[in-house]
Every structure is written in C-alpha cells, then in structure tokens.
Amino acid sequence: MNGKKVLGMIFANIHEEALGALTDMRTMGSVPFCSRYRLIDFPLSNMVESGVTKIGVVTNANFNSLMDHVGTGKPWDLSRKTDGLYLLPPYSLTSTTMWGNRIDAIYGNMGFLDQSNQEYVLMTDCNNILSIDYDALFEAHEQSGAAVTIVGVRGKKPANISSVLVFNEVAEDGKILEAAIDPTAEEDVFYSCNIVLVKKYLLQTLITTAHSKNEVSFQRSILMNCIKSGKAYAYDATDCFVGTIDSVQSYYDISMSLLNRDIKNRLFAPERPIYTKERDDMPTLYGTEAKVNNSLIADGCEIKGTVENCIIFKGVKVEADAVVKNSILMQDTVIGEGTKVNYIIADKNVNIKSGIELSGAENFPVSLSKDTRI
C-alpha cells in the first residue's frame, strides 16, 4: 500500500471555537504558526511527503484566507492535471447550508469520494501540530487487516475540545479493545488525534447509514461502532512530535516550546520538510541598539528594540527602546517606541502605540485580535 492509493481529506474548520479571536475571521487551518506557517501546512506536508497526490480540504465558513494561502496547491506540488488539491466548501446546486458536523461534511462531499479512484481515505483535522511518517501508518494498517486505523498519542487529554476518543485498552497488535469518549482523566492517557485511515467504500457505507439516522457524532456513531465490532486498530504516534491545540493557552505553549532547538528539530526534520506559501521579502533589518535573544524572527522585519523569547512573523516592526518578551507577534504588527509588552499574542496588523505597557502571564497570555489599535 502506498500513498497513491490514498485520498486525503483535511477538515479546516473543526475545533476552531477553541481559539476564540484567532479564528473569528479565519478557519483553524489558516491560523498562523511559528513565524511563517499556517496550521494546514502540517497535514498537507505530511500527506504529500507520504505520496498522497489527491487531497480535499473541507471548509465551512471564513475560508477566504485559507483559499488565498493554499491557492492551487503549488507549494505542496499539488497543482496537477490529474488529482491535486481540491477546496470543498459547503455549497451545492440545491443548498448553501453550512456543515453541521463531521458526518454532514463527509456526506455532503460524497460526490468527491465517488469521483476519486483511490482505495483508502486518510482524514485529519488541523489542530494537531505534528511530523508523522504516514508510510508507516499505511503499512501498519495493511498488515493488521484493520477496517479502521486511528492515530493516537499518549499525553494529557485535551480539555477544551469535545468528543475526545480515549483508548482505555489496546492489545499488543494494536487492536482497540476498550475506548471511551470524553472520560474524566487526570493522568496521561492514550487519546485519538482525529487522524483516521479507512477504506473508501466502508467510509461511504458507514456515513450514508449514519446520515440516514440523523446521527451527528462521528466518534460515537462511526468509530465507537467499529471498535465494538473489533475492527478498529490504534497507531501510536507518541514517538513523533505531536502538539494538540485545544485552547489559546495550548497554542501559545506549543509555539513557545519550539524555541527549544531540540523540540524544533523534531518537528522540522530535514527528511520530512514542512512546506508553505512563501511571501518574498527582504532580510530582516536590525538597528544599532537592537538586542535579540532566543527568538524566531522571519524575513522582512525591522528590529530596533529588545526582543527576548519571542516568535516574530514577517513584516513586524519593533521600534527603538521597545521591549518585547515572551510574545508572539504575527504579520505586520507594529510595536511603538518605548513600548513594553510581555506574554501577548498579537494577530496580524496589530499596532501598539509608543509608551504603552501591556502584559499577560505565562499561564494567561493576552490575545489581541487582527487590526487592533492600542
């Protein structure tokens, strides 16, 4: 089994309520990350690196920035005459209703599945920051004879997203013997990353049946039934870098963890590159009094003040005598002269005037919406 037999489906809007203001005007998939990327870059790149050549991006609302970012799929080598990248908004000849849930979204794109020649479907969300070798997943799925293989990771259960599937008991060969949805758990658990590999015809059958019964939970109606029938297996991705975003706090924590070189190298491994749409820009300019320590800074910035423990996106300006610490500044944000900020997440085009002091805390970063003026 290889990637050419696999059809990719990426859900761009799922879990976006967890990020509040960061997804008010964009999908989860188009949220900026790590000075130059968007969250959708990670599932797209992982699929492409494993040979998947046809990928459908399922959208729901606020997908203008997503369309601008992915375009024809050229950065991921998905601009093709055969297969390639497909954007799947919730529009048809008879309805413009938004998808209500994952079952509705898949059922609404049944035509896309019917027109695809691939034998398997690999589905994933955009709230997992990960670098994973899907070739190993494909091989494990084929060898086990599973109807469904679900990728899981061991760690703290995401607390702020619903319908988290937790594997309570897994056999040595990977068969899921017992599972639960949203169990109470203080210790580390083995939980699903919402990455699912399944045969296309089986997915179509299960979704059609669930939709006809007006069922709304993919985890309960599809995955739990497969587990109860003994046909579902788990693939342990704990050895890979996996960060699950379930809140603004987890977005901040995962982002800042990449200032650690070892962690950053696990995610951005040379053998599994992460591709993105590039914005060509000049090199970053540093003033004679600039001080920078332990930070990721993109091209096209102007740094005249002090920057410590920060992630800085393209086009950011930090004026003279400004001090920016422990913060994430997205594209084209401006920090005025003499301003001091600490523990903030500034969305695109935020402008903080001169002489302002603004501070959050490590366990409560202040989030500023796009185009905010202070």
Side-chain angles (χ1 to χ4, degrees):
M1 176 181 176
N2 58 56
K4 292 189 180 298
K5 295 183 178 180
V6 179
L7 172 68
M9 289 189 75
I10 299 174
F11 295 88
N13 287 84
I14 299 283
H15 310 307
E16 62 189 9
E17 68 282 353
L19 286 184
L22 292 177
T23 49
D24 280 348
M25 294 182 286
R26 58 165 72 95
T27 66
M28 173 68 82
S30 53
V31 171
F33 183 79
C34 194
S35 79
R36 59 181 293 203
Y37 300 95
R38 302 289 183 122
L39 295 185
I40 197 170
D41 294 339
F42 296 89
L44 273 175
S45 299
N46 288 324
M47 287 184 181
V48 167
E49 280 298 297
S50 297
V52 179
T53 59
K54 186 173 184 178
I55 300 174
V57 179
V58 181
T59 63
N60 200 15
N62 294 330
F63 48 81
N64 286 345
S65 64
L66 182 72
M67 293 173 64
D68 177 68
H69 180 69
V70 300
T72 61
K74 186 176 179 180
W76 302 272
D77 192 28
L78 290 173
S79 181
R80 299 163 175 253
K81 291 183 178 179
T82 304
D83 294 339
L85 181 71
Y86 294 77
L87 285 171
L88 306 173
Y91 301 138
S92 67
L93 293 176
T94 58
S95 173
T96 58
T97 304
M98 297 299 176
W99 307 130
N101 52 68
R102 198 185 302 261
I103 292 175
D104 282 349
I106 299 172
Y107 185 80
N109 285 293
M110 202 66 76
F112 174 69
L113 296 175
D114 288 336
Q115 294 166 12
S116 301
N117 298 322
Q118 285 77 8
E119 185 179 354
Y120 299 88
V121 180
L122 175 64
M123 297 176 288
T124 180
D125 298 337
C126 288
N127 68 315
N128 289 303
I129 305 298
L130 78 166
S131 176
I132 182 172
D133 181 3
Y134 281 133
D135 289 322
L137 170 65
F138 301 157
E139 183 178 351
H141 180 83
E142 193 168 46
Q143 290 183 351
S144 68
V148 175
T149 298
I150 308 168
V151 176
V153 64
R154 300 180 190 275
K156 291 292 184 183
K157 182 177 78 71
N160 298 303
I161 56 178
S162 60
S163 300
V164 178
L165 181 64
V166 174
F167 311 128
N168 294 329
E169 185 179 356
V170 178
E172 289 187 5
D173 64 353
K175 179 183 287 189
I176 305 170
L177 303 178
E178 184 181 336
I181 296 176
D182 288 334
T184 301
E186 296 296 332
E187 69 283 352
D188 287 356
V189 296
F190 188 18
Y191 68 89
S192 165
C193 297
N194 284 328
I195 301 173
V196 178
L197 180 64
V198 58
K199 275 206 170 182
K200 186 177 73 172
Y201 82 86
L202 176 59
L203 177 66
Q204 291 174 297
T205 301
L206 294 173
I207 290 296
T208 300
T209 301
H211 188 268
S212 68
K213 297 178 180 179
N214 293 318
E215 294 174 342
V216 298
S217 174
F218 184 83
Q219 282 80 0
R220 293 183 188 279
S221 302
I222 307 296
L223 298 184
M224 286 297 288
N225 284 338
C226 289
I227 291 170
K228 291 175 182 177
S229 68
K231 297 178 181 179
Y233 283 66
Y235 179 84
D236 192 344
T238 304
D239 290 340
C240 306
F241 179 94
V242 181
T244 301
I245 296 174
D246 70 331
S247 63
V248 172
Q249 183 68 55
S250 61
Y251 170 84
Y252 176 84
D253 290 341
I254 294 167
S255 297
M256 300 306 285
S257 73
L258 296 174
L259 295 178
N260 181 311
R261 187 182 298 272
D262 292 337
I263 294 176
K264 181 173 176 286
N265 288 341
R266 285 185 63 201
L267 177 59
F268 297 103
E271 65 273 14
R272 303 202 65 78
I274 304 298
Y275 305 103
T276 190
K277 176 186 175 182
E278 293 289 353
R279 178 181 119 170
D280 294 333
D281 218 324
M282 64 180 184
T284 289
L285 300 177
Y286 295 90
T288 57
E289 302 298 322
K291 298 179 182 178
V292 178
N293 180 44
N294 192 38
S295 297
L296 294 175
I297 300 181
D299 297 337
C301 299
E302 293 182 24
I303 310 296
K304 299 176 182 178
T306 298
V307 176
E308 295 182 7
N309 304 320
C310 291
I311 296 176
I312 307 295
F313 286 72
K314 289 176 179 287
V316 168
K317 294 182 179 180
V318 178
E319 299 293 356
D321 298 321
V323 178
V324 183
K325 296 182 178 181
N326 307 305
S327 297
I328 300 171
L329 306 183
M330 295 184 189
Q331 189 170 304
D332 298 323
T333 288
V334 177
I335 306 297
E337 185 174 345
T339 290
K340 297 180 180 180
V341 297
N342 194 14
Y343 293 112
I344 72 164
I345 302 172
D347 207 333
K348 296 172 63 175
N349 300 311
V350 167
N351 192 317
I352 303 179
K353 294 182 179 179
S354 301
I356 301 292
E357 292 192 18
L358 180 63
S359 180
E362 185 175 4
N363 59 355
F364 195 85
V366 174
S367 181
L368 302 177
S369 300
K370 182 178 178 182
D371 298 321
T372 296
R373 299 289 184 266
I374 297 179

